Amino acid sequence: WDMLRDGTLPASTFVELVARNLAADEQVGVLQRLLMRAASAVERYAAPGNRERLRTTLREQARTALDDCEPGGDHQLAWFRHWASLSNDDADLAVLEELLDGTEHFPGLRVDTDLRWAIVIALAHVGRADEARITTELARDDTDLGQRQAMTARAIRPDAASKAWARGLLRDDADLSHTLARQLWAGFSQLDQEELAADYLPQFAADLDHVWATRTLDFAIEFAAGMFPHAAVDAGLLDATDAILARPDLPKPLRRAMLEQRDTVVRTVRARDLDEAEVGGA
């Protein structure tokens, strides 16, 4: 993982190593961490031309493991969550919808409130959960946690209107709690939503100034990290970040936050270039 992040191991190689070497009896905590890192390697560090192939590798592996593992165990749940987060074809998404409706099931898998929200968010991420679906789920779980999950589901949808709604709340709602804000930017910033991030990139600097002027220091620092448009790497993100850092009036706390994000951008570019050079791209 450190070699990947340092740009000395191609993301495609890392993903293939994980996919080939996960043992059936892997400790569940180790399994969850490796699955999360493999998915992150695809979205952040792989060359654009390799991502769909790598996503397919992970998705097919997850579905096979899900069918093979013991029903009702922690491993089944870990594999299911991984598979659901990667699902993007009509057949798989229909299965997720049927799980919510109670017309489909995996033996031993308990679709509790927490897992239902994970499914709704996965569907929303690919545009298959509209406001009616989210509102229906919220009616089932009209709790503080349900309200938070609904925020993420609404912000993660891959359309400009959903992003504008989330952005407006984060910019202008002075009563918005840090907790709900975190749920919003967890949905707002998705590495596979490159075009939406590119559309937002020209507005980010102005939003940063507005939030710094109108909100608390803690909120402004978290906003700088949470709303940083990492998916816009190929749309000039590094140049835009350097332009912000070059401003003499940039407050020091925001400068530190932006330097941290810039480091991530540099790592991303270096890793993608390596993946392209060593593996090539489709």
Side-chain angles (χ1 to χ4, degrees):
W1 179 248
D2 288 339
M3 291 171 66
L4 167 63
R5 295 180 68 249
D6 290 340
T8 61
L9 179 73
S12 295
T13 303
F14 178 85
V15 172
E16 289 160 4
L17 284 169
V18 172
R20 289 202 308 266
N21 291 285
L22 280 177
D25 59 350
E26 199 79 63
Q27 292 183 4
V28 70
V30 175
L31 173 65
Q32 290 169 323
R33 184 163 63 252
L34 286 172
L35 293 179
M36 179 181 68
R37 287 182 172 179
S40 180
V42 173
E43 302 304 336
R44 183 177 294 281
Y45 298 120
N50 294 331
R51 287 181 205 146
E52 190 52 43
R53 171 179 58 82
L54 295 172
R55 288 185 191 121
T56 299
T57 295
L58 292 179
R59 185 170 59 250
E60 291 178 349
Q61 178 201 31
R63 186 55 197 258
T64 298
L66 183 57
D67 291 338
D68 292 345
C69 63
E70 181 181 352
D74 291 338
H75 286 73
Q76 182 191 41
L77 181 59
W79 281 113
F80 176 83
R81 285 179 173 273
H82 184 59
W83 171 73
S85 70
L86 293 165
S87 295
N88 64 358
D89 65 64
D90 287 341
D92 287 348
L93 295 172
V95 170
L96 293 179
E97 290 170 336
E98 289 164 1
L99 282 166
L100 290 178
D101 298 337
T103 57
E104 175 63 272
H105 71 282
F106 288 85
L109 183 69
R110 180 169 170 260
V111 185
D112 59 12
T113 299
D114 186 53
L115 192 57
R116 288 185 66 87
W117 277 117
I119 294 171
V120 170
I121 290 170
L123 290 169
H125 190 181
V126 293
R128 288 279 288 249
D130 58 13
E131 180 59 29
R133 169 71 79 177
I134 296 169
T135 300
T136 298
E137 198 60 36
L138 187 56
R140 291 174 58 100
D141 180 33
D142 193 8
T143 62
D144 178 66
L145 180 59
Q147 294 285 346
R148 283 186 260 162
Q149 299 283 49
M151 282 284 201
T152 300
R154 287 169 173 144
I156 206 171
R157 290 180 295 185
D159 61 80
S162 297
K163 302 305 180 186
W165 169 81
R167 177 194 174 210
L169 281 178
L170 288 162
R171 267 180 47 97
D172 302 321
D173 187 350
D175 296 325
L176 187 70
S177 69
H178 282 213
T179 299
L180 290 181
R182 293 182 190 111
Q183 297 292 141
L184 282 171
W185 56 59
F188 185 93
S189 299
Q190 298 298 312
L191 288 171
D192 63 344
Q193 294 176 351
E194 293 93 344
E195 291 184 8
L196 291 166
D199 290 343
Y200 176 60
L201 180 58
Q203 304 162 332
F204 175 65
D207 283 358
L208 200 59
D209 290 340
H210 177 79
V211 169
W212 174 259
T214 59
R215 308 297 289 274
T216 65
L217 171 63
D218 288 345
F219 189 93
I221 292 173
E222 288 197 53
F223 182 94
M227 293 292 283
F228 191 84
H230 281 286
V233 169
D234 296 330
L237 178 58
L238 187 58
D239 288 341
T241 305
D242 285 342
I244 294 173
L245 286 167
R247 289 170 35 189
D249 63 333
L250 187 67
K252 289 183 179 179
L254 292 186
R255 181 177 301 279
R256 285 194 296 271
M258 294 298 292
L259 284 170
E260 291 173 359
Q261 303 310 311
R262 186 187 190 279
D263 179 68
T264 300
V265 176
V266 170
R267 286 178 180 274
T268 300
V269 172
R270 185 168 58 233
R272 290 181 181 182
D273 287 348
L274 177 70
D275 197 52
E276 175 68 28
E278 295 292 325
V279 181

